[in-house]
mmCIF file of all heavy atoms in Angstrom:
data_model
loop_
_atom_site.group_PDB
_atom_site.id
_atom_site.type_symbol
_atom_site.label_atom_id
_atom_site.label_comp_id
_atom_site.label_asym_id
_atom_site.label_seq_id
_atom_site.Cartn_x
_atom_site.Cartn_y
_atom_site.Cartn_z
ATOM 1 N N CYS A 110 54.931 18.265 78.023
ATOM 2 C CA CYS A 110 53.612 17.671 77.863
ATOM 3 C C CYS A 110 53.078 17.123 79.188
ATOM 4 O O CYS A 110 53.832 16.559 79.984
ATOM 5 C CB CYS A 110 53.659 16.552 76.823
ATOM 6 S SG CYS A 110 52.022 15.897 76.418
ATOM 7 N N HIS A 111 51.776 17.232 79.381
ATOM 8 C CA HIS A 111 51.147 16.701 80.600
ATOM 9 C C HIS A 111 51.236 15.175 80.676
ATOM 10 O O HIS A 111 51.048 14.601 81.740
ATOM 11 C CB HIS A 111 49.685 17.153 80.695
ATOM 12 C CG HIS A 111 48.779 16.502 79.706
ATOM 13 N ND1 HIS A 111 48.686 16.914 78.396
ATOM 14 C CD2 HIS A 111 47.951 15.457 79.831
ATOM 15 C CE1 HIS A 111 47.835 16.150 77.765
ATOM 16 N NE2 HIS A 111 47.356 15.251 78.604
ATOM 17 N N THR A 112 51.581 14.520 79.547
ATOM 18 C CA THR A 112 51.739 13.063 79.559
ATOM 19 C C THR A 112 53.108 12.643 80.057
ATOM 20 O O THR A 112 53.363 11.454 80.234
ATOM 21 C CB THR A 112 51.530 12.474 78.150
ATOM 22 O OG1 THR A 112 52.570 12.956 77.287
ATOM 23 C CG2 THR A 112 50.165 12.846 77.583
ATOM 24 N N GLY A 113 53.993 13.621 80.258
ATOM 25 C CA GLY A 113 55.328 13.326 80.762
ATOM 26 C C GLY A 113 56.402 13.259 79.693
ATOM 27 O O GLY A 113 57.571 13.033 79.996
ATOM 28 N N THR A 114 56.030 13.457 78.422
ATOM 29 C CA THR A 114 57.020 13.457 77.345
ATOM 30 C C THR A 114 57.625 14.844 77.184
ATOM 31 O O THR A 114 57.040 15.847 77.587
ATOM 32 C CB THR A 114 56.412 12.989 76.003
ATOM 33 O OG1 THR A 114 55.302 13.825 75.677
ATOM 34 C CG2 THR A 114 55.959 11.536 76.080
ATOM 35 N N ARG A 115 58.790 14.880 76.594
ATOM 36 C CA ARG A 115 59.507 16.153 76.390
ATOM 37 C C ARG A 115 58.652 17.147 75.603
ATOM 38 O O ARG A 115 58.614 18.320 75.928
ATOM 39 C CB ARG A 115 60.830 15.880 75.664
ATOM 40 C CG ARG A 115 61.570 17.108 75.187
ATOM 41 C CD ARG A 115 62.246 17.854 76.292
ATOM 42 N NE ARG A 115 62.942 19.032 75.747
ATOM 43 C CZ ARG A 115 63.298 20.058 76.460
ATOM 44 N NH1 ARG A 115 63.075 20.060 77.749
ATOM 45 N NH2 ARG A 115 63.912 21.068 75.913
ATOM 46 N N THR A 116 57.995 16.662 74.538
ATOM 47 C CA THR A 116 57.124 17.517 73.738
ATOM 48 C C THR A 116 55.739 16.884 73.646
ATOM 49 O O THR A 116 55.577 15.685 73.871
ATOM 50 C CB THR A 116 57.662 17.730 72.301
ATOM 51 O OG1 THR A 116 57.297 16.620 71.495
ATOM 52 C CG2 THR A 116 59.160 17.948 72.280
ATOM 53 N N CYS A 117 54.774 17.681 73.277
ATOM 54 C CA CYS A 117 53.415 17.160 73.079
ATOM 55 C C CYS A 117 53.289 16.407 71.757
ATOM 56 O O CYS A 117 52.235 15.845 71.474
ATOM 57 C CB CYS A 117 52.407 18.303 73.133
ATOM 58 S SG CYS A 117 52.242 19.017 74.784
ATOM 59 N N PHE A 118 54.354 16.404 70.960
ATOM 60 C CA PHE A 118 54.329 15.748 69.649
ATOM 61 C C PHE A 118 55.155 14.477 69.621
ATOM 62 O O PHE A 118 55.113 13.730 68.640
ATOM 63 C CB PHE A 118 54.830 16.723 68.577
ATOM 64 C CG PHE A 118 54.028 17.996 68.543
ATOM 65 C CD1 PHE A 118 54.476 19.130 69.195
ATOM 66 C CD2 PHE A 118 52.807 18.060 67.889
ATOM 67 C CE1 PHE A 118 53.724 20.301 69.185
ATOM 68 C CE2 PHE A 118 52.049 19.216 67.873
ATOM 69 C CZ PHE A 118 52.515 20.341 68.528
ATOM 70 N N GLU A 119 55.891 14.224 70.670
ATOM 71 C CA GLU A 119 56.793 13.064 70.739
ATOM 72 C C GLU A 119 56.013 11.752 70.643
ATOM 73 O O GLU A 119 55.071 11.527 71.398
ATOM 74 C CB GLU A 119 57.562 13.103 72.059
ATOM 75 C CG GLU A 119 58.702 12.135 72.151
ATOM 76 C CD GLU A 119 59.525 12.370 73.397
ATOM 77 O OE1 GLU A 119 59.876 13.543 73.672
ATOM 78 O OE2 GLU A 119 59.809 11.393 74.105
ATOM 79 N N GLY A 120 56.394 10.909 69.667
ATOM 80 C CA GLY A 120 55.760 9.614 69.483
ATOM 81 C C GLY A 120 54.372 9.682 68.885
ATOM 82 O O GLY A 120 53.630 8.711 68.926
ATOM 83 N N ARG A 121 54.021 10.812 68.298
ATOM 84 C CA ARG A 121 52.671 10.997 67.763
ATOM 85 C C ARG A 121 52.689 11.338 66.271
ATOM 86 O O ARG A 121 51.779 11.993 65.761
ATOM 87 C CB ARG A 121 51.947 12.072 68.552
ATOM 88 C CG ARG A 121 51.699 11.654 70.007
ATOM 89 C CD ARG A 121 51.152 12.792 70.845
ATOM 90 N NE ARG A 121 50.947 12.370 72.216
ATOM 91 C CZ ARG A 121 51.870 12.443 73.165
ATOM 92 N NH1 ARG A 121 53.072 12.902 72.901
ATOM 93 N NH2 ARG A 121 51.599 12.048 74.393
ATOM 94 N N GLY A 122 53.740 10.891 65.570
ATOM 95 C CA GLY A 122 53.846 11.152 64.148
ATOM 96 C C GLY A 122 52.784 10.422 63.355
ATOM 97 O O GLY A 122 52.365 9.313 63.710
ATOM 98 N N LEU A 123 52.312 11.044 62.286
ATOM 99 C CA LEU A 123 51.323 10.450 61.401
ATOM 100 C C LEU A 123 52.003 10.013 60.101
ATOM 101 O O LEU A 123 52.952 10.652 59.665
ATOM 102 C CB LEU A 123 50.222 11.464 61.091
ATOM 103 C CG LEU A 123 49.458 12.014 62.302
ATOM 104 C CD1 LEU A 123 48.469 13.088 61.854
ATOM 105 C CD2 LEU A 123 48.737 10.890 63.029
ATOM 106 N N PRO A 124 51.491 8.961 59.462
ATOM 107 C CA PRO A 124 52.080 8.523 58.185
ATOM 108 C C PRO A 124 51.811 9.559 57.090
ATOM 109 O O PRO A 124 50.725 10.115 57.012
ATOM 110 C CB PRO A 124 51.361 7.206 57.889
ATOM 111 C CG PRO A 124 50.108 7.243 58.688
ATOM 112 C CD PRO A 124 50.372 8.119 59.878
#
Side-chain angles (χ1 to χ4, degrees):
C110 187
H111 71 280
T112 65
T114 57
R115 171 75 180 160
T116 82
C117 291
F118 303 98
E119 191 172 312
R121 294 172 181 89
L123 301 176

